[in-house]
Amino acid sequence: MEITEKDKEFMREAIRLADESVKHGGGPFGAVIVKDGEIIAGASNSVTIDNDPTAHAEMNAIRQACKKLGTFDLSGCTLYTSCEPCPMCLGANYWAHIDKIYYGNNRKDAQDIDFADNFIYEEIKRPMVKRHVPIIPLLHDEAQETFRLWKEKTDKIEY
């Protein structure tokens, strides 16, 4: 896959946002989302600023892009992020239908500055009964009623 000068420009903007975040009390991560050659969203990590553990740069950029475009489907968009997405952000990118992801630093680089996601990758591999946070089934039959309602709904918006 060919990397263009435009790709480098978008990545530099993600890195710039990460630098600004560090200067203003946020985490060292930045991200931009591009559609049709234009940046439609740019954000940095604001976990500690917003007291929100989901406020990673990629998540914030996805929220901005969806709001701007008026859709939950970001097909046709590319993410440029200053660091390889964590499991949460990677999942969100798949749910948002992002077409392509470019990253600067990798997860080992993040681990070297005490941002380690490997425990999550390892936790996902474990059987539920052996995970560090108990995950306990409860009221399955009652919960199934909601899924039945969804399955039978004729005017639902699929996603």
Side-chain angles (χ1 to χ4, degrees):
M1 182 166 293
E2 182 183 343
I3 305 292
T4 68
E5 287 305 312
K6 207 69 164 142
D7 291 322
K8 293 176 185 177
E9 177 185 319
F10 296 139
M11 180 59 76
R12 286 186 181 107
E13 177 60 11
I15 293 167
R16 186 192 70 75
L17 288 167
D19 291 346
E20 287 298 311
S21 182
V22 171
K23 292 173 188 171
H24 294 101
F29 306 99
V32 297
I33 295 177
V34 172
K35 183 169 184 147
D36 299 326
E38 299 291 326
I39 294 175
I40 59 167
S44 60
N45 178 293
S46 61
V47 169
T48 56
I49 294 167
D50 295 338
N51 292 316
D52 179 351
T54 70
H56 292 198
E58 299 93 331
M59 301 292 285
N60 289 339
I62 287 169
R63 290 178 184 125
Q64 282 181 19
C66 288
K67 187 172 185 178
K68 180 172 184 172
L69 297 177
T71 182
F72 54 82
D73 186 341
L74 297 179
S75 295
C77 293
T78 300
L79 171 74
Y80 296 82
T81 179
S82 64
C83 187
E84 179 182 353
C86 74
M88 174 183 66
C89 294
L90 182 62
N93 276 277
Y94 278 95
W95 285 120
H97 304 286
I98 297 280
D99 287 358
K100 193 182 310 178
I101 301 168
Y102 292 93
Y103 65 92
N105 294 307
N106 62 41
R107 67 174 97 158
K108 170 77 169 84
D109 299 322
Q111 184 173 336
D112 290 346
I113 61 165
D114 299 324
F115 287 91
D117 299 326
N118 280 341
F119 77 96
I120 297 172
Y121 289 106
E122 293 304 315
E123 190 75 359
I124 289 169
K125 292 178 193 176
R126 296 177 191 270
M128 282 198 199
V129 296
K130 294 192 177 205
R131 291 187 181 169
H132 289 93
V133 174
I135 301 176
I136 305 155
L138 182 63
L139 298 178
H140 179 258
D141 292 340
E142 291 179 35
Q144 281 290 298
E145 179 60 18
T146 306
F147 278 16
R148 184 191 62 73
L149 290 171
W150 174 258
K151 187 175 181 178
E152 293 173 358
K153 187 172 176 62
T154 58
D155 62 344
K156 63 188 168 205
I157 299 172
E158 302 270 355
Y159 58 96

